Amino acid sequence: MSSNILKTSFSHWWKLTSERRKELHLNRIPIFSKNLKNCLFSKKKIQLLTHYIIECTPYPNHGASIVFCDNQFITNLNEKDRHKIGPTDILSYPTYLPNMRFNGVNEDDPVIEILKEERRITFEEEKYLGDIFISQPYIVDYCNSNNTNLNHHMALLLTHGVLHLLGYDHEIEEDYLIMNSKEQEILSKLRHKIGKEEWKELNLLKN
């Protein structure tokens, strides 16, 4: 891995007291690892950054889970749920969207409305946006191949994933432009919140 990707930061933007972490309800953003011998990313840093991202949405008090996994795990999800071959960088599974579909359920099946209502209740009462899966080896390879800073790329991916949980998409150019504009808006707010110098030296890795 190239040295610029793993550049060490001495910023302490993510260091909060346990009381402050409870006040922010960071437990609503659980971080998991699937099929990885070593997750590179710090749970506390990812939790807080994701919280800041969600604060920039219409649902600032909601949570979401982040799952770091290997290429095989995300390939299985990609092929099963999107019918696409091979691994990808990130997949998002919203808890509830008004127009959401369910794999294996016919669109005119009345059970869909029941499933949607159950999801809506979870979304509103449990304040849960959904689940985000990120393939660690995929994004590390991408950053190495493209000379991209892993930490800043992760901030972009988390923003991208959260927006997918809210129904943003990029299948057509018009939707892509809308989503990209929203991503840049949120990233700008993050840079302002964390601080220009701290953002420049952003480090989401374990110390």
Side-chain angles (χ1 to χ4, degrees):
M1 191 177 297
S2 60
S3 59
N4 70 303
I5 292 176
L6 286 179
K7 189 173 182 179
T8 302
S9 168
F10 295 99
S11 166
H12 302 296
W13 63 272
W14 54 273
K15 290 191 175 181
L16 304 177
T17 64
S18 57
E19 290 76 13
R20 181 56 179 156
R21 295 185 71 85
K22 288 179 181 177
E23 289 175 4
L24 295 178
H25 300 290
L26 295 184
N27 61 322
R28 290 181 181 167
I29 307 173
I31 311 298
F32 301 103
S33 175
K34 292 282 188 180
N35 297 358
L36 290 177
K37 291 183 178 179
N38 177 38
C39 183
L40 298 175
F41 298 95
S42 161
K43 175 181 177 179
K44 289 184 176 181
K45 296 174 185 178
I46 295 296
Q47 273 185 323
L48 185 56
L49 186 64
T50 304
H51 169 75
Y52 286 161
I53 293 168
I54 293 174
E55 273 192 328
C56 297
T57 76
Y59 306 97
N61 297 316
H62 280 53
S65 72
I66 312 296
V67 183
F68 290 100
C69 61
D70 66 356
N71 279 336
Q72 186 58 57
F73 190 91
I74 209 163
T75 293
N76 293 340
L77 293 179
N78 204 25
E79 295 179 355
K80 176 174 69 75
D81 299 326
R82 300 177 69 227
H83 309 293
K84 295 191 175 183
I85 303 301
T88 186
D89 50 359
I90 183 169
L91 291 174
S92 295
Y93 292 83
T95 296
Y96 171 75
L97 294 173
N99 61 343
M100 70 189 310
R101 298 178 179 180
F102 296 87
N103 282 340
V105 181
N106 196 301
E107 288 186 33
D108 58 5
D109 192 323
V111 75
I112 283 186
E113 293 308 314
I114 297 174
L115 293 173
K116 283 185 178 180
E117 182 62 12
E118 290 176 347
R119 294 292 197 93
R120 184 189 66 79
I121 292 172
T122 299
F123 178 85
E124 294 180 357
E125 295 187 0
E126 298 184 17
K127 299 185 183 300
Y128 191 68
L129 295 180
D131 309 305
I132 297 172
F133 292 83
I134 299 173
S135 172
Q136 178 175 287
Y138 190 102
I139 63 171
V140 167
D141 288 345
Y142 173 87
C143 289
N144 280 328
S145 298
N146 294 274
N147 196 30
T148 299
N149 183 285
L150 179 60
N151 298 291
H152 289 145
H153 189 61
M154 176 54 64
L156 171 61
L157 282 181
L158 289 172
T159 303
H160 188 85
V162 167
L163 288 179
H164 271 312
L165 295 182
L166 298 179
Y168 286 82
D169 211 339
H170 46 78
E171 293 299 317
I172 62 176
E173 184 176 3
E174 181 180 0
D175 291 341
Y176 167 80
L177 293 174
I178 292 172
M179 187 172 185
N180 182 260
S181 175
K182 192 64 179 178
E183 285 173 351
Q184 296 309 313
E185 176 188 327
I186 291 176
L187 289 171
S188 178
K189 290 179 179 178
L190 292 178
R191 284 191 289 268
H192 178 75
K193 187 175 187 69
I194 292 175
K196 183 178 179 180
E197 291 304 314
E198 288 81 359
W199 180 264
K200 187 177 180 182
E201 299 294 327
L202 184 68
N203 175 23
L204 300 175
L205 304 172
K206 293 176 180 176
N207 291 334

